[in-house]
Amino acid sequence: MTLGKTIDGKAFAAKLRGRIGEGVTDFVAKAGRKPGLAVVLVGEDPASSVYVRSKGKATVEVGMESYEFKRPATISQEELIELVEELNGDPRVDGILVQLPLPKHLDDAAVIATINPAKDVDGFHVVNAGKLAVGDPSALVPCTPLGCLMLLKDELGDLSGKEAVVIGRSNIVGKPMAALLLGESCTVTIAHSRTQDLASVVHRADIVVAAVGRPEMIKGSWIKPGATVIDVGINRVPAEEEGKSKIVGDVATAEAISHVAGITPVPGGVGPMTIAVLLRNTLVAASAREGLTAPAGL
Ligand code: NAD
């Protein structure tokens, strides 16, 4: 086995977007319309605005319609729910994404619960979480963990019987990631903030997925030689140059790179996959709404 490989999520995501683009062309030919993704942005959070802009651009690039709904941070819970209900009923809209986090006075869970599960392209609705938990293939699966799984399957092929350790138990990343790995017949451990002796838990893994949000907390020495590492973390830290900042992951990559089979870089690993899978989920949702078979190979 060659060690020290960087897993190029950016290149994989570009190929995936190419296949989605072909799927969209096929969809348009059959359905006579474009798939549509509606993104709702509440408030002016700069990071969220950047994400929404890049999602809109990527949506249009694969040939889909992008609808953006910007609302002030002062919007009431009732008004936001009304907007989601309108989108549920809008025939042009196949996917609805409400950019999180919402301002504090709004209830994320209640807003997500209003989204029609068939249009829930983020996969956060309890119906989709439940479908994933019971292995129902019609689940719309959260984009980040599904993107991680695609990278792992591309690297390793069959994952059956492998020891997988997921660090982080959020509903957005950790829990659905663990469910997906279980679905591939891995032996799955979920570690979290209360886990005892995290170093030795991580050391038994063939597959490590780190989704914590703490800069480089997973040390290179914790990782078993030959393991494959997916680093989901996005952490802004001060750069060497004064006054500048940079993004790092949850894994101390410089310490790990020489003895891993593969590791995703940050940036350029999981991040680009998340947006590509959002487009994939929108095409899958659109196909299901039109009674078409979802394109193969996505
Ligand atoms: P979260 O804060 O909801 O969850 C973090 C998890 O880490 C928790 O379950 C907690 O138990 C665990 N944790 C905290 N401290 C720990 C410790 N010391 N030891 C072990 N576990 C610990 O975060 P999230 O939404 O799951 O996101 C995790 C990271 O992934 C963040 O950096 C986030 O920015 C990033 N993220 C990236 C993408 C992407 O597209 N690349 C998408 C989503 C999230």
PDB file of all heavy atoms in Angstrom, residues 144 167-170 172-174 191-193 198 211-214 217 232-235 250 270-271 274, ligand 1:
ATOM      1  N   THR A 144     -23.185  16.325   3.569  1.00  0.00           N
ATOM      2  CA  THR A 144     -21.775  16.170   3.964  1.00  0.00           C
ATOM      3  C   THR A 144     -21.424  14.697   4.213  1.00  0.00           C
ATOM      4  O   THR A 144     -20.462  14.188   3.631  1.00  0.00           O
ATOM      5  CB  THR A 144     -21.459  17.055   5.184  1.00  0.00           C
ATOM      6  OG1 THR A 144     -21.713  18.413   4.806  1.00  0.00           O
ATOM      7  CG2 THR A 144     -20.020  16.908   5.629  1.00  0.00           C
ATOM      8  N   ILE A 167     -15.928  10.664  14.802  1.00  0.00           N
ATOM      9  CA  ILE A 167     -15.774  11.529  15.984  1.00  0.00           C
ATOM     10  C   ILE A 167     -16.716  12.723  15.792  1.00  0.00           C
ATOM     11  O   ILE A 167     -16.548  13.500  14.856  1.00  0.00           O
ATOM     12  CB  ILE A 167     -14.320  11.987  16.167  1.00  0.00           C
ATOM     13  CG1 ILE A 167     -13.394  10.777  16.019  1.00  0.00           C
ATOM     14  CG2 ILE A 167     -14.119  12.637  17.542  1.00  0.00           C
ATOM     15  CD1 ILE A 167     -12.041  11.141  15.492  1.00  0.00           C
ATOM     16  N   GLY A 168     -17.701  12.823  16.682  1.00  0.00           N
ATOM     17  CA  GLY A 168     -18.763  13.831  16.565  1.00  0.00           C
ATOM     18  C   GLY A 168     -20.101  13.139  16.411  1.00  0.00           C
ATOM     19  O   GLY A 168     -20.195  12.137  15.679  1.00  0.00           O
ATOM     20  N   ARG A 169     -21.117  13.637  17.122  1.00  0.00           N
ATOM     21  CA  ARG A 169     -22.429  12.971  17.087  1.00  0.00           C
ATOM     22  C   ARG A 169     -23.542  13.939  16.716  1.00  0.00           C
ATOM     23  O   ARG A 169     -24.671  13.830  17.211  1.00  0.00           O
ATOM     24  CB  ARG A 169     -22.717  12.334  18.437  1.00  0.00           C
ATOM     25  CG  ARG A 169     -22.664  13.322  19.591  1.00  0.00           C
ATOM     26  CD  ARG A 169     -23.112  12.714  20.900  1.00  0.00           C
ATOM     27  NE  ARG A 169     -22.608  13.492  22.015  1.00  0.00           N
ATOM     28  CZ  ARG A 169     -22.778  13.172  23.284  1.00  0.00           C
ATOM     29  NH1 ARG A 169     -23.444  12.100  23.601  1.00  0.00           N
ATOM     30  NH2 ARG A 169     -22.288  13.917  24.248  1.00  0.00           N
ATOM     31  N   SER A 170     -23.240  14.933  15.865  1.00  0.00           N
ATOM     32  CA  SER A 170     -24.295  15.879  15.479  1.00  0.00           C
ATOM     33  C   SER A 170     -25.278  15.195  14.534  1.00  0.00           C
ATOM     34  O   SER A 170     -24.961  14.193  13.882  1.00  0.00           O
ATOM     35  CB  SER A 170     -23.689  17.107  14.790  1.00  0.00           C
ATOM     36  OG  SER A 170     -23.225  16.758  13.506  1.00  0.00           O
ATOM     37  N   ILE A 172     -26.274  16.522  11.889  1.00  0.00           N
ATOM     38  CA  ILE A 172     -25.933  16.961  10.524  1.00  0.00           C
ATOM     39  C   ILE A 172     -24.813  16.111   9.936  1.00  0.00           C
ATOM     40  O   ILE A 172     -24.810  15.790   8.751  1.00  0.00           O
ATOM     41  CB  ILE A 172     -25.533  18.456  10.573  1.00  0.00           C
ATOM     42  CG1 ILE A 172     -26.765  19.306  10.918  1.00  0.00           C
ATOM     43  CG2 ILE A 172     -24.886  18.911   9.282  1.00  0.00           C
ATOM     44  CD1 ILE A 172     -26.464  20.772  11.142  1.00  0.00           C
ATOM     45  N   VAL A 173     -23.840  15.732  10.766  1.00  0.00           N
ATOM     46  CA  VAL A 173     -22.697  14.978  10.251  1.00  0.00           C
ATOM     47  C   VAL A 173     -22.521  13.622  10.958  1.00  0.00           C
ATOM     48  O   VAL A 173     -22.640  12.567  10.340  1.00  0.00           O
ATOM     49  CB  VAL A 173     -21.365  15.777  10.329  1.00  0.00           C
ATOM     50  CG1 VAL A 173     -20.275  15.027   9.569  1.00  0.00           C
ATOM     51  CG2 VAL A 173     -21.499  17.192   9.800  1.00  0.00           C
ATOM     52  N   GLY A 174     -22.213  13.649  12.251  1.00  0.00           N
ATOM     53  CA  GLY A 174     -21.775  12.430  12.942  1.00  0.00           C
ATOM     54  C   GLY A 174     -22.779  11.286  12.875  1.00  0.00           C
ATOM     55  O   GLY A 174     -22.431  10.168  12.443  1.00  0.00           O
ATOM     56  N   ALA A 191     -17.595   8.392  18.553  1.00  0.00           N
ATOM     57  CA  ALA A 191     -16.935   9.030  19.693  1.00  0.00           C
ATOM     58  C   ALA A 191     -17.434  10.463  19.793  1.00  0.00           C
ATOM     59  O   ALA A 191     -17.885  11.046  18.803  1.00  0.00           O
ATOM     60  CB  ALA A 191     -15.425   9.010  19.486  1.00  0.00           C
ATOM     61  N   HIS A 192     -17.374  11.030  20.992  1.00  0.00           N
ATOM     62  CA  HIS A 192     -17.884  12.386  21.201  1.00  0.00           C
ATOM     63  C   HIS A 192     -17.179  13.029  22.382  1.00  0.00           C
ATOM     64  O   HIS A 192     -16.200  12.471  22.904  1.00  0.00           O
ATOM     65  CB  HIS A 192     -19.407  12.347  21.375  1.00  0.00           C
ATOM     66  CG  HIS A 192     -19.850  11.306  22.337  1.00  0.00           C
ATOM     67  ND1 HIS A 192     -19.758  11.481  23.693  1.00  0.00           N
ATOM     68  CD2 HIS A 192     -20.318  10.052  22.125  1.00  0.00           C
ATOM     69  CE1 HIS A 192     -20.174  10.383  24.288  1.00  0.00           C
ATOM     70  NE2 HIS A 192     -20.518   9.489  23.364  1.00  0.00           N
ATOM     71  N   SER A 193     -17.696  14.173  22.829  1.00  0.00           N
ATOM     72  CA  SER A 193     -16.984  14.960  23.848  1.00  0.00           C
ATOM     73  C   SER A 193     -16.824  14.214  25.177  1.00  0.00           C
ATOM     74  O   SER A 193     -15.948  14.551  25.962  1.00  0.00           O
ATOM     75  CB  SER A 193     -17.704  16.284  24.077  1.00  0.00           C
ATOM     76  OG  SER A 193     -19.062  16.045  24.356  1.00  0.00           O
ATOM     77  N   LEU A 198      -9.873   8.916  23.871  1.00  0.00           N
ATOM     78  CA  LEU A 198     -10.173   9.047  22.434  1.00  0.00           C
ATOM     79  C   LEU A 198      -9.014   8.528  21.573  1.00  0.00           C
ATOM     80  O   LEU A 198      -9.232   7.903  20.530  1.00  0.00           O
ATOM     81  CB  LEU A 198     -10.473  10.521  22.120  1.00  0.00           C
ATOM     82  CG  LEU A 198     -10.910  10.851  20.708  1.00  0.00           C
ATOM     83  CD1 LEU A 198     -12.196  10.123  20.328  1.00  0.00           C
ATOM     84  CD2 LEU A 198     -11.121  12.358  20.549  1.00  0.00           C
ATOM     85  N   ALA A 211     -15.441  14.916  12.746  1.00  0.00           N
ATOM     86  CA  ALA A 211     -16.412  16.001  12.574  1.00  0.00           C
ATOM     87  C   ALA A 211     -16.666  16.638  13.932  1.00  0.00           C
ATOM     88  O   ALA A 211     -17.709  16.459  14.536  1.00  0.00           O
ATOM     89  CB  ALA A 211     -17.712  15.470  11.965  1.00  0.00           C
ATOM     90  N   VAL A 212     -15.672  17.363  14.400  1.00  0.00           N
ATOM     91  CA  VAL A 212     -15.697  17.904  15.758  1.00  0.00           C
ATOM     92  C   VAL A 212     -15.800  19.432  15.757  1.00  0.00           C
ATOM     93  O   VAL A 212     -16.590  20.031  16.489  1.00  0.00           O
ATOM     94  CB  VAL A 212     -14.412  17.482  16.523  1.00  0.00           C
ATOM     95  CG1 VAL A 212     -14.453  17.985  17.962  1.00  0.00           C
ATOM     96  CG2 VAL A 212     -14.231  15.979  16.495  1.00  0.00           C
ATOM     97  N   GLY A 213     -14.969  20.075  14.925  1.00  0.00           N
ATOM     98  CA  GLY A 213     -14.926  21.537  14.945  1.00  0.00           C
ATOM     99  C   GLY A 213     -13.891  22.060  15.920  1.00  0.00           C
ATOM    100  O   GLY A 213     -14.073  23.119  16.512  1.00  0.00           O
ATOM    101  N   ARG A 214     -12.781  21.293  16.111  1.00  0.00           N
ATOM    102  CA  ARG A 214     -11.664  21.749  16.958  1.00  0.00           C
ATOM    103  C   ARG A 214     -10.372  21.602  16.160  1.00  0.00           C
ATOM    104  O   ARG A 214     -10.017  20.485  15.751  1.00  0.00           O
ATOM    105  CB  ARG A 214     -11.567  20.904  18.219  1.00  0.00           C
ATOM    106  CG  ARG A 214     -12.695  21.202  19.159  1.00  0.00           C
ATOM    107  CD  ARG A 214     -12.629  20.325  20.369  1.00  0.00           C
ATOM    108  NE  ARG A 214     -13.678  20.725  21.276  1.00  0.00           N
ATOM    109  CZ  ARG A 214     -13.468  21.277  22.475  1.00  0.00           C
ATOM    110  NH1 ARG A 214     -12.256  21.439  22.922  1.00  0.00           N
ATOM    111  NH2 ARG A 214     -14.491  21.623  23.216  1.00  0.00           N
ATOM    112  N   MET A 217      -7.225  18.698  16.500  1.00  0.00           N
ATOM    113  CA  MET A 217      -7.223  18.003  17.801  1.00  0.00           C
ATOM    114  C   MET A 217      -6.916  16.505  17.675  1.00  0.00           C
ATOM    115  O   MET A 217      -6.474  15.879  18.625  1.00  0.00           O
ATOM    116  CB  MET A 217      -8.539  18.206  18.558  1.00  0.00           C
ATOM    117  CG  MET A 217      -9.717  17.460  17.991  1.00  0.00           C
ATOM    118  SD  MET A 217     -11.036  17.239  19.218  1.00  0.00           S
ATOM    119  CE  MET A 217     -10.441  15.833  20.108  1.00  0.00           C
ATOM    120  N   VAL A 232     -13.659  16.368   8.282  1.00  0.00           N
ATOM    121  CA  VAL A 232     -14.827  17.212   7.966  1.00  0.00           C
ATOM    122  C   VAL A 232     -14.657  18.622   8.544  1.00  0.00           C
ATOM    123  O   VAL A 232     -15.262  19.575   8.063  1.00  0.00           O
ATOM    124  CB  VAL A 232     -16.124  16.564   8.507  1.00  0.00           C
ATOM    125  CG1 VAL A 232     -17.352  17.376   8.113  1.00  0.00           C
ATOM    126  CG2 VAL A 232     -16.282  15.130   8.001  1.00  0.00           C
ATOM    127  N   GLY A 233     -13.835  18.751   9.553  1.00  0.00           N
ATOM    128  CA  GLY A 233     -13.731  20.015  10.297  1.00  0.00           C
ATOM    129  C   GLY A 233     -13.363  21.214   9.439  1.00  0.00           C
ATOM    130  O   GLY A 233     -12.586  21.113   8.487  1.00  0.00           O
ATOM    131  N   ILE A 234     -13.976  22.342   9.769  1.00  0.00           N
ATOM    132  CA  ILE A 234     -13.610  23.617   9.141  1.00  0.00           C
ATOM    133  C   ILE A 234     -13.365  24.588  10.292  1.00  0.00           C
ATOM    134  O   ILE A 234     -14.304  24.967  10.989  1.00  0.00           O
ATOM    135  CB  ILE A 234     -14.750  24.176   8.251  1.00  0.00           C
ATOM    136  CG1 ILE A 234     -15.104  23.187   7.136  1.00  0.00           C
ATOM    137  CG2 ILE A 234     -14.371  25.534   7.668  1.00  0.00           C
ATOM    138  CD1 ILE A 234     -16.279  23.640   6.265  1.00  0.00           C
ATOM    139  N   ASN A 235     -12.115  24.916  10.528  1.00  0.00           N
ATOM    140  CA  ASN A 235     -11.772  25.776  11.667  1.00  0.00           C
ATOM    141  C   ASN A 235     -10.899  26.924  11.200  1.00  0.00           C
ATOM    142  O   ASN A 235      -9.881  26.697  10.545  1.00  0.00           O
ATOM    143  CB  ASN A 235     -10.994  24.968  12.720  1.00  0.00           C
ATOM    144  CG  ASN A 235     -11.697  23.682  13.099  1.00  0.00           C
ATOM    145  OD1 ASN A 235     -12.724  23.710  13.752  1.00  0.00           O
ATOM    146  ND2 ASN A 235     -11.153  22.541  12.661  1.00  0.00           N
ATOM    147  N   ASP A 250      -9.890  19.159  11.531  1.00  0.00           N
ATOM    148  CA  ASP A 250      -9.872  18.617  12.899  1.00  0.00           C
ATOM    149  C   ASP A 250      -8.671  17.694  13.115  1.00  0.00           C
ATOM    150  O   ASP A 250      -8.423  17.257  14.236  1.00  0.00           O
ATOM    151  CB  ASP A 250     -11.151  17.793  13.156  1.00  0.00           C
ATOM    152  CG  ASP A 250     -12.383  18.667  13.268  1.00  0.00           C
ATOM    153  OD1 ASP A 250     -12.233  19.895  13.468  1.00  0.00           O
ATOM    154  OD2 ASP A 250     -13.502  18.128  13.157  1.00  0.00           O
ATOM    155  N   VAL A 270     -13.641  17.592   1.854  1.00  0.00           N
ATOM    156  CA  VAL A 270     -15.076  17.336   2.044  1.00  0.00           C
ATOM    157  C   VAL A 270     -15.942  18.514   1.573  1.00  0.00           C
ATOM    158  O   VAL A 270     -17.028  18.314   1.020  1.00  0.00           O
ATOM    159  CB  VAL A 270     -15.354  17.025   3.541  1.00  0.00           C
ATOM    160  CG1 VAL A 270     -16.846  16.892   3.801  1.00  0.00           C
ATOM    161  CG2 VAL A 270     -14.617  15.753   3.964  1.00  0.00           C
ATOM    162  N   GLY A 271     -15.443  19.737   1.781  1.00  0.00           N
ATOM    163  CA  GLY A 271     -16.230  20.938   1.459  1.00  0.00           C
ATOM    164  C   GLY A 271     -16.841  20.908   0.054  1.00  0.00           C
ATOM    165  O   GLY A 271     -18.070  21.032  -0.095  1.00  0.00           O
ATOM    166  N   THR A 274     -19.795  18.523  -0.395  1.00  0.00           N
ATOM    167  CA  THR A 274     -21.085  18.869   0.208  1.00  0.00           C
ATOM    168  C   THR A 274     -22.001  19.550  -0.815  1.00  0.00           C
ATOM    169  O   THR A 274     -23.166  19.181  -0.958  1.00  0.00           O
ATOM    170  CB  THR A 274     -20.853  19.770   1.446  1.00  0.00           C
ATOM    171  OG1 THR A 274     -20.088  19.021   2.383  1.00  0.00           O
ATOM    172  CG2 THR A 274     -22.155  20.200   2.088  1.00  0.00           C
TER     173      THR A 274
HETATM  174  P1  NAD B   1     -21.331  20.180  16.173  1.00  0.00           P
HETATM  175  O1  NAD B   1     -20.706  21.256  16.992  1.00  0.00           O
HETATM  176  O2  NAD B   1     -22.797  20.092  16.027  1.00  0.00           O
HETATM  177  O3  NAD B   1     -20.834  18.761  16.718  1.00  0.00           O
HETATM  178  C1  NAD B   1     -19.514  18.564  17.156  1.00  0.00           C
HETATM  179  C2  NAD B   1     -19.402  17.196  17.783  1.00  0.00           C
HETATM  180  O4  NAD B   1     -18.065  17.031  18.234  1.00  0.00           O
HETATM  181  C3  NAD B   1     -20.308  16.980  18.988  1.00  0.00           C
HETATM  182  O5  NAD B   1     -21.102  15.844  18.756  1.00  0.00           O
HETATM  183  C4  NAD B   1     -19.369  16.769  20.160  1.00  0.00           C
HETATM  184  O6  NAD B   1     -19.784  15.703  21.015  1.00  0.00           O
HETATM  185  C5  NAD B   1     -18.059  16.402  19.493  1.00  0.00           C
HETATM  186  N1  NAD B   1     -16.938  16.901  20.283  1.00  0.00           N
HETATM  187  C6  NAD B   1     -16.756  18.143  20.768  1.00  0.00           C
HETATM  188  N2  NAD B   1     -15.605  18.204  21.465  1.00  0.00           N
HETATM  189  C7  NAD B   1     -15.058  16.976  21.418  1.00  0.00           C
HETATM  190  C8  NAD B   1     -13.888  16.401  21.956  1.00  0.00           C
HETATM  191  N3  NAD B   1     -13.056  17.109  22.681  1.00  0.00           N
HETATM  192  N4  NAD B   1     -13.648  15.107  21.715  1.00  0.00           N
HETATM  193  C9  NAD B   1     -14.483  14.368  20.975  1.00  0.00           C
HETATM  194  N5  NAD B   1     -15.615  14.858  20.418  1.00  0.00           N
HETATM  195  C10 NAD B   1     -15.896  16.143  20.657  1.00  0.00           C
HETATM  196  O7  NAD B   1     -20.605  20.275  14.764  1.00  0.00           O
HETATM  197  P2  NAD B   1     -21.017  19.702  13.292  1.00  0.00           P
HETATM  198  O8  NAD B   1     -22.093  20.520  12.719  1.00  0.00           O
HETATM  199  O9  NAD B   1     -21.156  18.216  13.340  1.00  0.00           O
HETATM  200  O10 NAD B   1     -19.669  20.063  12.512  1.00  0.00           O
HETATM  201  C11 NAD B   1     -18.415  19.518  12.890  1.00  0.00           C
HETATM  202  C12 NAD B   1     -17.329  20.200  12.077  1.00  0.00           C
HETATM  203  O11 NAD B   1     -17.526  19.911  10.707  1.00  0.00           O
HETATM  204  C13 NAD B   1     -17.302  21.729  12.192  1.00  0.00           C
HETATM  205  O12 NAD B   1     -15.955  22.160  12.095  1.00  0.00           O
HETATM  206  C14 NAD B   1     -18.049  22.168  10.967  1.00  0.00           C
HETATM  207  O13 NAD B   1     -17.670  23.470  10.530  1.00  0.00           O
HETATM  208  C15 NAD B   1     -17.629  21.122   9.985  1.00  0.00           C
HETATM  209  N6  NAD B   1     -18.580  20.913   8.885  1.00  0.00           N
HETATM  210  C16 NAD B   1     -18.056  20.889   7.634  1.00  0.00           C
HETATM  211  C17 NAD B   1     -18.882  20.680   6.550  1.00  0.00           C
HETATM  212  C18 NAD B   1     -18.275  20.633   5.177  1.00  0.00           C
HETATM  213  O14 NAD B   1     -18.973  20.776   4.207  1.00  0.00           O
HETATM  214  N7  NAD B   1     -16.959  20.398   5.067  1.00  0.00           N
HETATM  215  C19 NAD B   1     -20.252  20.490   6.733  1.00  0.00           C
HETATM  216  C20 NAD B   1     -20.761  20.478   8.030  1.00  0.00           C
HETATM  217  C21 NAD B   1     -19.906  20.685   9.106  1.00  0.00           C
END
